[in-house]
Amino acid sequence: MRKEDKGTVIAQLTEILKEYPNFYLTDIEALDAEKTSQLRKACFKHEVKLVVVKNNLMKKALENIEGDFSSLDALLKGNTAVMFSHTANAPARLIKDFTKDAKKDQPVKPYLKGAYVQESFYIGAENLDALVNIKSKNELIADVIALLESPAKNVISALQSSGQTIHGLLKTLEER
């Protein structure tokens, strides 16, 4: 690859890294054409961008963005595909769903090497379950809103169950 081409690829990877806040480093080397096609379709369906990269070019692109990504350098060996996503747990769920039917004696592909999710590093495939359970910002906001609504709903249900009278409310409070 010519030096100009490498510079172009590094610039493109840098832009993608700036656009997507979460990315997963995976190994998809042993997948045949059919499985690779299925994986790409699943990625498209879940709004995950899958890119096969050269390790040195990825290292250079990571150097071009803010932050210290040196802990990922050890993972950039062998075959590397990067899954970019705006949703923190979408690639993890995709990998888990894609590998759930794998046999125990065969290597599981795609294999999670590591991830950078919500400004944290997750190194190794043993973190896949933790990544699947990470909640997105919108899910956390929904949980907080549900917790805030809960006391109001309890008061309303108490009013409705006692015939909507003050007497019923006082009686309900007295019983508690």
Side-chain angles (χ1 to χ4, degrees), residues 33-159:
E34 181 183 344
K35 292 264 189 198
T36 303
S37 178
Q38 290 173 359
L39 179 62
R40 288 188 182 279
K41 286 178 184 175
C43 286
F44 181 78
K45 181 179 175 186
H46 291 90
E47 298 178 1
V48 174
K49 184 176 184 94
L50 179 67
V51 179
V52 178
V53 297
K54 288 192 170 276
N55 294 323
N56 287 334
L57 300 181
M58 185 66 181
K59 285 180 189 177
K60 299 274 187 200
L62 287 171
E63 291 171 4
N64 290 340
I65 61 173
E66 284 185 36
D68 180 23
F69 294 93
S70 59
S71 59
L72 297 177
D73 287 349
L75 305 176
L76 292 171
K77 291 187 170 78
N79 188 316
T80 304
V82 185
M83 297 174 124
F84 298 98
S85 177
H86 290 291
T87 307
N89 61 2
R93 287 181 178 173
L94 195 141
I95 291 170
K96 186 146 182 131
D97 289 344
F98 201 78
T99 58
K100 69 181 173 190
D101 297 330
K103 296 179 180 146
K104 303 254 188 242
D105 58 341
Q106 295 178 343
V108 178
K109 298 287 178 155
Y111 175 80
L112 176 69
K113 292 180 172 184
Y116 178 73
V117 176
Q118 295 178 346
E119 300 177 3
S120 298
F121 295 99
Y122 296 86
I123 309 297
E126 62 274 1
N127 290 312
L128 185 61
D129 289 330
L131 288 165
V132 166
N133 294 324
I134 286 180
K135 291 189 177 188
S136 69
K137 181 179 176 181
N138 290 338
E139 290 171 330
L140 290 173
I141 290 171
D143 288 349
V144 169
I145 290 171
L147 288 171
L148 292 173
E149 286 180 339
S150 181
K153 286 182 180 178
N154 289 342
V155 170
I156 291 170
S157 67
L159 286 171

Side-chain angles (χ1 to χ4, degrees), residues 153-173 175-176:
K153 286 182 180 178
N154 289 342
V155 170
I156 291 170
S157 67
L159 286 171
Q160 289 175 342
S161 68
S162 299
Q164 298 180 352
T165 63
I166 296 290
H167 175 70
L169 177 62
L170 291 174
K171 187 174 183 179
T172 303
L173 292 173
E175 291 172 2
R176 288 186 182 176

Side-chain angles (χ1 to χ4, degrees), residues 1-51:
M1 185 180 285
R2 294 184 336 205
K3 190 171 186 173
E4 299 84 26
D5 295 338
K6 288 181 182 179
T8 304
V9 171
I10 291 170
Q12 289 173 343
L13 280 173
T14 303
E15 288 303 313
I16 293 171
L17 284 166
K18 288 178 181 177
E19 179 184 348
Y20 291 93
N22 310 300
F23 64 89
Y24 288 63
L25 300 175
T26 61
D27 181 1
I28 61 171
E29 181 180 18
L31 294 179
D32 59 13
E34 181 183 344
K35 292 264 189 198
T36 303
S37 178
Q38 290 173 359
L39 179 62
R40 288 188 182 279
K41 286 178 184 175
C43 286
F44 181 78
K45 181 179 175 186
H46 291 90
E47 298 178 1
V48 174
K49 184 176 184 94
L50 179 67
V51 179

